[in-house]
Amino acid sequence: MPAETPHDGEPREEAGALADSARQPTGEAGTLTETTGEAGAPAETTDEAGARAGSPRKPTAEAGTLTESPRKTGEVATVDPVTDIEAREREAGVDALFPFGRPGRPLTRNHPFVFGFYGALGVLAAYMLVKAVTDARQVIILIVVALFLAVGLNPAVEALTRVGVSRRWGVLIVFLCLVGFFVGFGFAIVPPMTEQVTAFINNLTSGHGYLEQLQHNSKLQDWDHRYHLLERAQTALQSKDLGKQAANGILGVGQVVISGVFSTFTVLILTLYFLGSLPNITGFMYRLAPRSRRARVALLGDEILSRIGGYVAGNVLISVIAGIVSYIYLLIVNVPYAIALAMLVAITDLIPLIGATIGAVLVTAIAFFSGFWTGIATAIFFLIYQQIENYLVQPRVMKKSVDVQPAVTIIAALLGGALLGVIGALLAIPTAAALALILREVVMPRQESL
C-alpha cells in the first residue's frame, strides 16, 4: 500500500526524518532543542542523540500511523507564566538559593521614577515645614524673644559670678530684678490710668461736664443744625446692634489683655530656663560643628553672644537715661504722675527708631491736660532730647556694644519692623551685628584667598 503523503506530495516518513534532523538533545534524555549547527557539520538526528544519551528513542512513526509534527519556533515563549506554574518558575529562575526567583536589577538614582519620587517628596516636606512654622509662628516668636532676653541678661549673670556669686544665685538675682521692674511699672502705671479714666467718666456725667459744655457750644449747635449730629447720635444709641457690638468689643479687649498677660508670663518663664541653662545650650550647639573647626566656631559664637548682650545692655542704658531725664523734667513742670510717665518713656524708648517718638507723643498729650503752655514746653523738650539721644548718646553706646554702622542699624530696624513688627525691630540690630561679624571673619577672608 503506498505511503500517505502530505499536501506537497512528499512522503510522510521523509517529513518526519527532516523534523528529526532539525533537533538536537539538551543533555537530558528525551529533551529536544533546536540545533545551532556548526559550520560544515551535518546536524544530528534524534536517533543518534538518543543512542548517545543511553536511552532508546521511541520510533517516530509506526506502520499505518502518522508521525508527530515538529514543534513550532517560539512555542515555549508564548506560555503565560501567570497560568503555568512551571513556566513561572522557569522564567523567574527558581533554584535552591532563590526559591522565589532571582531578584531583578535595582532602580538607579538616575531612573525617572526615582528622580520624580524624591522630587515630590522634597516638595511635600518643604510645604509641611513651611506650614508648621506658619502655624507655630506665635510660639516661635515667644521662644526667640525669651532666648534673646536670656542672652542679653547673661553678661549681668557673668558679672555676678566673677565677684564670687554662684551662677544659680546670679540667675535668680537677675531674674528677680527683671520681674521687679515689670511689677513696679504695673504699680506705677495702673493707678494713674484708673484715676484718669474715673475722672473722665465723672466729667462726662457731672452737671457741668463735657456733655453739658458740648450742648451749649455754639459751634457744635451750628454743626447739629446743618448735619443733624444729635439725631444721628440718638439713632445710633437706640440701635439694637449697639449692645451686641459693645459686648463684642469688650470681649475682644479682654482676649487681648489675657493673651498679653499669658505671653508675658511665658516669656519670663522661658527666659529663666534659658538663662539658667545657657552654657549647656551653647556647648551643645558648638558640638554640632566639625571637630577641626569647633574652636573657631566657639570663638565666633561667643563674640556674637557678647554683642547681643552688649546691645541689650546698651539699649537698656539709653532707655534708663531717657527715663531719668524725663522724670526730672516732669517734676520741674509739675506734671502729675511723673514717675509713671517717665517709666512709660523708658519702656517705649527700647523700641528702635520709633519708640522714643511714641513715648514723647503720649507724654506730651497728657501734659496738655496740665496746661496749654505746659504741653508746648513738653513737646519742645522731647524734640530737643531726641536729637541729643540720636546724635550723641546712641551712636557712642551702640558703637562700643555692637560695632554696627548707623546706616546698617536703620535698614535692619526697618526690615525687622516690616517682617515682625516691634519684636522684629528689637531683634534686627543684634542680628545685623552677628551677620556683619560672620561676613568679616568668614566670608571675606575666604574671598581673599581665592
Side-chain angles (χ1 to χ4, degrees):
M1 182 178 180
E4 186 177 357
T5 59
H7 295 287
D8 53 2
E10 295 180 358
R12 180 70 68 177
E13 288 81 4
E14 294 178 3
L18 291 175
D20 291 339
S21 64
R23 302 175 181 272
Q24 69 176 3
T26 58
E28 296 178 1
T31 303
L32 302 179
T33 58
E34 295 182 358
T35 181
T36 56
E38 296 181 0
E44 287 183 332
T45 64
T46 54
D47 293 333
E48 295 173 351
R52 187 175 59 182
S55 59
R57 184 180 183 274
K58 294 181 179 181
T60 59
E62 294 181 354
T65 60
L66 298 177
T67 60
E68 63 175 346
S69 61
R71 182 176 294 178
K72 298 180 180 179
T73 305
E75 183 180 354
V76 177
T78 60
V79 178
D80 190 359
V82 176
T83 57
D84 193 325
I85 298 178
E86 294 181 357
R88 185 186 309 172
E89 294 178 352
R90 183 172 58 253
E91 292 187 17
V94 175
D95 54 16
L97 184 61
F98 298 100
F100 297 100
R102 295 181 177 275
R105 296 174 56 187
L107 298 178
T108 62
R109 293 184 178 181
N110 297 328
H111 195 278
F113 177 79
V114 177
F115 179 78
F117 176 77
Y118 281 113
L121 189 63
V123 172
L124 180 61
Y127 170 75
M128 295 180 63
L129 180 62
V130 171
K131 191 176 185 303
V133 172
T134 303
D135 294 340
R137 177 181 177 183
Q138 298 298 328
V139 178
I140 294 174
I141 290 175
L142 294 180
I143 294 174
V144 171
V145 171
L147 186 60
F148 175 75
L149 290 177
V151 173
L153 296 175
N154 188 59
V157 176
E158 292 182 350
L160 292 176
T161 56
R162 285 194 293 267
V163 298
V165 181
S166 63
R167 182 171 182 86
R168 180 178 301 176
W169 285 102
V171 169
L172 182 60
I173 293 172
V174 173
F175 182 75
L176 290 178
C177 292
L178 179 64
V179 173
F181 173 78
F182 282 104
V183 173
F185 175 75
F187 278 108
I189 201 70
V190 171
M193 290 181 61
T194 305
E195 293 181 8
Q196 291 291 336
V197 171
T198 304
F200 181 74
I201 294 175
N202 291 333
N203 287 329
L204 285 177
T205 58
S206 62
H208 299 284
Y210 296 143
L211 292 179
E212 186 175 351
Q213 294 177 9
L214 290 175
Q215 290 177 358
H216 295 85
N217 188 285
S218 59
K219 190 67 175 177
L220 183 61
Q221 291 178 356
D222 182 55
W223 286 351
D224 179 53
H225 180 71
R226 292 182 179 180
Y227 306 108
H228 306 287
L229 298 179
L230 294 179
E231 182 179 354
R232 293 183 179 181
Q234 184 178 4
T235 303
L237 291 174
Q238 294 177 352
S239 176
K240 296 180 180 180
D241 297 333
L242 179 62
K244 183 178 180 180
Q245 293 176 358
N248 292 335
I250 295 173
L251 182 61
V253 172
Q255 290 177 350
V256 171
V257 172
I258 293 174
S259 177
V261 173
F262 176 76
S263 298
T264 303
F265 182 76
T266 304
V267 167
L268 290 176
I269 296 300
L270 289 176
T271 301
L272 176 62
Y273 280 107
F274 286 151
L275 191 59
S277 59
L278 189 61
N280 296 329
I281 295 174
T282 55
F284 174 78
M285 298 302 294
Y286 293 158
R287 288 187 180 92
L288 296 178
R291 182 63 182 86
S292 59
R293 301 180 181 180
R294 193 171 298 167
R296 178 169 170 79
V297 170
L299 291 175
L300 291 174
D302 291 341
E303 181 63 22
I304 291 174
L305 296 179
S306 176
R307 293 195 177 190
I308 294 176
Y311 167 75
V312 173
N315 205 5
V316 170
L317 178 61
I318 295 173
S319 299
V320 169
I321 293 174
I324 293 175
V325 174
S326 300
Y327 177 68
I328 295 173
Y329 167 78
L330 294 175
L331 285 179
I332 294 174
V333 298
N334 198 22
V335 175
Y337 313 115
I339 185 171
L341 296 178
M343 294 184 69
L344 179 63
V345 170
I347 290 179
T348 56
D349 199 72
L350 292 171
I351 305 173
L353 299 180
I354 62 173
T357 303
I358 294 174
V361 170
L362 293 176
V363 175
T364 302
I366 296 174
F368 271 104
F369 288 98
S370 299
F372 177 77
W373 294 110
T374 303
I376 295 296
T378 304
I380 295 174
F381 162 77
F382 280 110
L383 182 62
I384 296 174
Y385 176 75
Q386 286 186 12
Q387 305 307 314
I388 296 174
E389 179 183 294
N390 293 334
Y391 292 100
L392 294 178
V393 180
Q394 187 173 7
R396 295 186 178 184
V397 173
M398 290 300 173
K399 183 67 176 178
K400 294 181 179 180
S401 59
V402 296
D403 191 18
V404 178
Q405 297 297 327
V408 177
T409 301
I410 295 174
I411 294 173
L414 291 175
L415 292 176
L419 293 175
L420 296 176
V422 175
I423 296 176
L426 288 172
L427 301 177
I429 296 178
T431 303
L435 292 177
L437 177 64
I438 294 174
L439 288 175
R440 185 170 61 249
E441 297 296 333
V442 178
V443 178
M444 291 184 179
R446 184 177 300 173
Q447 294 297 108
E448 292 295 333
S449 62
L450 295 179

